[in-house]
Amino acid sequence: MTLGSCAMPALLQYLDWARQHGVDPAPLLDQAGIDPALLAQPEARLGGEQFQQFLLALARVSQEDTFGLQSAQHVQPGSYSVLGYIAMNSDNLGQALERAMPYEKLVGDMGRSDWRFGPDEAVLRWHCQYSHPQVVPQMVDNVLASWTGFARALLGQPGASPSWVSLRRAVPADGGRAHQQWFGAPVQFGAEQDAIGIPASLLSQPVVRPDPQLLPVLEQHARRRLQALEQQDDLPMRVRVQIEAALQRGPVRRDQIADALGLSEKTLQRRLAQCQTQYQTELDRVRLSLAQRALEETEQPVAELALRLGFSDVRSFQRRFKQWTGQGPGAYRQARRVQA
């Protein structure tokens, strides 16, 4: 499975937290295969698999189940580069969040946000792309806490708070005290979604020291960067679309996918390598996505699902799924039922 990439600031906040808590980050970087020289290159991007491996190593070493939440407190609007500057030069908080959100991919492929607007509040939901059960709760905590801190900094109001917070994760060891303290709002654990409610009264409040004249320039720069990033990622996405369609019909072959894209197998391999991925990685990503969806939303037997995804036998599928998620298919399905 490939998890895309992320900007270096996404990693730096965790390094700051680790150092403050007496955790030497050097062995963690080594375990994740991250070159320390990249830390001095703010425009560099890190592989998503490396980032997830780093967070998993940090979770195991620190034995702290709220480090994602705590790390978010090291984030400032400027940490987000052009995305942050777009928000900082908007008229009010609602405009800032609405204008910044389309560019969240510039920060990383950790997940995606979406809005639902009502008369009294807006609901910001976040959908995590990462897969490991020890990493996902930390990532969700971090993103929602970062959006909250981001909004406070934009408004110049350290006490500004969401109306409520809902998290799919289990109650942390501290009973949720750290979450309550940071968000300053009721927090529901074991919820159906990862989301925060933002009062309409906050959305209409002005951003501190905006410069609207800069906004068009910043957005143009962000669009160019996003376009470059998406062009780089376009082929893997098209490969995944073709693989998913082929799996609906039966066994899938690499030469079949190459033909569908108008490429030779050799050219497909070379161009995927230029995107820092390979055919098997994209195949596994589709398989994982389809498997998770089936296990969460249907009662399809695991053996039947394994055959549908092109595995030679159910044991091969079970081993691979556990490598992807840290859980076997049965345990994964049961855990999602408990969460629901």
Side-chain angles (χ1 to χ4, degrees):
M1 174 186 178
T2 180
L3 299 176
S5 64
C6 68
M8 200 52 59
L11 172 67
L12 297 180
Q13 58 178 312
Y14 292 100
L15 295 177
D16 289 340
W17 181 88
R19 294 187 187 101
Q20 284 191 2
H21 290 78
V23 177
D24 181 4
L28 309 183
L29 294 170
D30 184 62
Q31 288 180 47
I34 299 172
D35 183 353
L38 290 175
L39 305 182
Q41 302 176 34
E43 296 299 321
R45 293 187 73 85
L46 185 69
E49 290 82 1
Q50 292 176 298
F51 191 25
Q52 178 165 256
Q53 189 58 42
F54 173 84
L55 294 178
L56 180 58
L58 181 56
R60 290 171 174 167
V61 169
S62 69
Q63 294 294 300
E64 169 59 65
D65 66 351
T66 62
F67 73 84
L69 176 80
Q70 296 176 42
S71 297
Q73 299 170 34
H74 294 278
V75 175
Q76 295 295 321
S79 304
Y80 293 95
S81 187
V82 67
L83 180 151
Y85 293 123
I86 286 173
M88 292 162 67
N89 288 282
S90 299
D91 291 333
N92 55 50
L93 179 62
Q95 184 191 79
L97 298 179
E98 188 175 359
R99 288 184 178 275
M101 197 168 293
Y103 304 110
E104 64 180 336
K105 183 180 175 68
L106 295 178
V107 177
D109 297 306
M110 292 81 76
R112 60 180 177 84
S113 304
D114 66 58
W115 285 100
R116 290 185 307 179
F117 291 94
D120 300 319
E121 67 176 8
V123 176
L124 169 61
R125 297 185 299 177
W126 194 66
H127 309 269
C128 187
Q129 178 178 305
Y130 283 23
S131 56
H132 199 286
Q134 285 183 265
V135 171
V136 172
Q138 306 305 324
M139 183 62 69
V140 172
D141 282 357
N142 181 269
V143 170
L144 294 184
S146 293
W147 277 120
T148 301
F150 189 55
R152 288 169 177 162
L154 290 173
L155 296 174
Q157 298 181 29
S161 297
S163 309
W164 51 265
V165 180
S166 68
L167 298 169
R168 297 174 66 190
R169 65 162 294 166
V171 180
D174 70 351
R177 286 189 297 275
H179 287 75
Q180 296 281 357
Q181 182 177 3
W182 173 251
F183 288 109
V187 180
Q188 178 188 4
F189 297 97
E192 294 183 356
Q193 61 179 350
D194 297 308
I196 55 177
I198 305 176
S201 59
L202 278 184
L203 292 172
S204 62
Q205 292 192 18
V207 168
V208 176
R209 295 185 299 277
D211 185 353
Q213 292 183 349
L214 276 177
L215 196 54
V217 177
L218 291 167
E219 288 185 312
Q220 184 181 43
H221 177 59
R223 284 193 295 269
R224 286 173 179 167
R225 289 187 57 188
L226 186 61
Q227 183 179 21
L229 199 57
E230 288 176 342
Q231 286 175 346
Q232 177 180 325
D233 294 341
D234 184 55
L235 179 62
M237 180 187 69
R238 289 189 289 129
V239 168
R240 292 193 298 272
V241 168
Q242 292 295 334
I243 289 174
E244 183 167 351
L247 282 172
Q248 305 299 323
R249 301 188 295 268
V252 59
R253 302 191 315 272
R254 184 170 57 194
D255 64 325
Q256 174 187 9
I257 300 303
D259 284 345
L261 294 170
L263 303 171
S264 68
E265 278 192 76
K266 187 174 181 180
T267 300
L268 176 63
Q269 288 178 279
R270 175 175 54 79
R271 289 186 55 185
L272 285 174
Q274 291 172 346
C275 296
Q276 299 183 330
T277 186
Q278 54 187 343
Y279 174 79
Q280 185 63 47
T281 300
E282 299 309 317
L283 173 61
D284 284 347
R285 183 176 184 180
V286 174
R287 283 170 158 176
L288 173 60
S289 177
L290 293 175
Q292 288 177 313
R293 194 183 313 164
L295 292 169
E296 292 174 12
E297 300 175 3
T298 76
E299 298 297 327
Q300 185 175 25
V302 172
E304 184 179 305
L305 178 58
L307 183 62
R308 172 191 161 199
L309 296 177
F311 287 90
S312 57
D313 56 71
V314 68
R315 289 184 179 179
S316 297
F317 169 59
Q318 289 171 326
R319 283 195 301 270
R320 186 67 65 85
F321 190 86
K322 190 167 185 178
Q323 289 173 354
W324 290 332
T325 67
Q327 296 175 293
Y332 180 90
R333 172 176 272 164
Q334 184 61 35
R336 291 306 183 272
R337 285 176 177 170
V338 170
Q339 289 179 356

